[in-house]
Amino acid sequence: MHVVIMGCGRLGSTLAHKLDARGHSVAIIDQNSDAFRRLGAEFSGLTVTGIGFDRDVLRQAGIERADAFAAVSSGDNSNIISARLARETYGVSRVVARIYDARRALVYERLGIPTVATIRWAADRMVRHLVPEGTVEVFRDPTSAISIVEAPLHREWVGHTVKALEEATGARVAYLMRFGIGSLATPSTVLQDGDQVFVLVTDDIVDQVLAAAATTEVGGHR
């Protein structure tokens, strides 16, 4: 793959190193040529000095043959302008932008451009480490919208199906651990004693999902 990266700060330079080490072709753009010092002598990719949404600069970086584009400069506006240019003008299929303002990130997601809302993501991670509140979270997507949490089951759920659990909780089962081995459950999978069940949730439903999984009122969900 040929990947163009806009911004050679700590994130951009780290991305460039990782992609370069995996054998991909990498071009990295930054307005400040001194920023390329972060790359070190071992970096074999291309460095281009200039503004990341300047078309001549993008062409120098090989945007016309790029398979992917990452906009990770320190400016939200620059990132989204360059990301849209890469997607809409040059037809790059894989485009992602770092955004500090989470409200803007939601807007850009609707435009079809994946974003990483840095501050919201970092703050949420910090809160979960500082005040875990008993929820075992094993994954959260970069936009901080969806997470995978363990849903401890009441023993009354043993013998009931995953489909019944999903209908009762309103969440989707991502996977389960049985005898220490992870597996992808199907709707007809029957829950067994000792199963650890992990579900996909959003923050607004996680409490009700965990409460439903822990309830004794399983009823007729077979």
Side-chain angles (χ1 to χ4, degrees):
M1 291 178 62
H2 179 59
V3 183
V4 177
I5 300 170
M6 188 194 82
C8 193
R10 284 174 293 180
L11 177 55
S13 59
T14 301
L15 279 175
H17 271 298
K18 287 182 176 293
L19 293 166
D20 187 48
R22 293 183 181 184
H24 297 293
S25 168
V26 180
I28 187 163
I29 302 167
D30 202 284
Q31 294 184 72
N32 183 5
S33 59
D34 288 340
F36 299 133
R37 293 178 181 176
R38 291 188 174 94
L39 297 170
E42 68 274 17
F43 179 67
S44 63
L46 174 67
T47 59
V48 180
T49 304
I51 299 172
F53 49 85
D54 182 284
R55 298 191 183 201
D56 290 335
V57 171
L58 286 169
R59 281 193 286 267
Q60 288 179 50
I63 192 68
E64 292 168 325
R65 60 184 177 89
D67 302 288
F69 180 86
V72 293
S73 77
S74 59
D76 281 6
N77 289 336
S78 297
N79 287 343
I80 199 59
I81 290 170
S82 61
R84 292 192 67 180
L85 194 59
R87 167 67 63 80
E88 297 168 12
T89 301
Y90 295 102
V92 181
S93 58
R94 295 182 177 90
V95 176
V96 65
R98 176 172 66 176
I99 302 295
Y100 285 91
D101 186 336
R103 292 169 299 180
R104 288 183 177 184
L106 294 174
V107 174
Y108 300 141
E109 287 281 352
R110 295 189 188 105
L111 295 175
I113 298 174
T115 61
V116 178
T118 310
I119 293 175
R120 177 182 173 185
W121 182 84
D124 285 346
R125 293 282 294 182
M126 291 291 287
V127 167
R128 288 193 298 278
H129 282 293
L130 293 169
V131 191
E133 298 178 344
T135 300
V136 179
E137 183 177 289
V138 296
F139 168 82
R140 180 169 289 259
D141 85 291
T143 66
S144 198
I146 299 172
S147 61
I148 297 178
V149 301
E150 182 179 358
L153 299 181
H154 191 275
R155 61 181 179 273
E156 292 294 327
W157 277 107
V158 173
H160 294 265
T161 63
V162 164
K163 180 180 179 181
L165 178 64
E166 290 179 335
E167 290 176 347
T169 61
R172 181 176 300 175
V173 173
Y175 67 98
L176 59 82
M177 296 289 293
R178 179 173 292 171
F179 305 122
I181 300 173
S183 65
L184 296 176
T186 65
S188 61
T189 298
V190 177
L191 298 167
Q192 298 182 13
D193 189 25
D195 282 353
Q196 290 178 273
V197 178
F198 296 84
V199 295
L200 285 160
V201 294
T202 54
D203 289 344
D204 59 324
I205 67 168
V206 62
D207 290 340
Q208 68 189 53
V209 168
L210 296 180
T215 185
T216 60
E217 299 177 1
V218 179
H221 295 285
R222 284 279 178 186

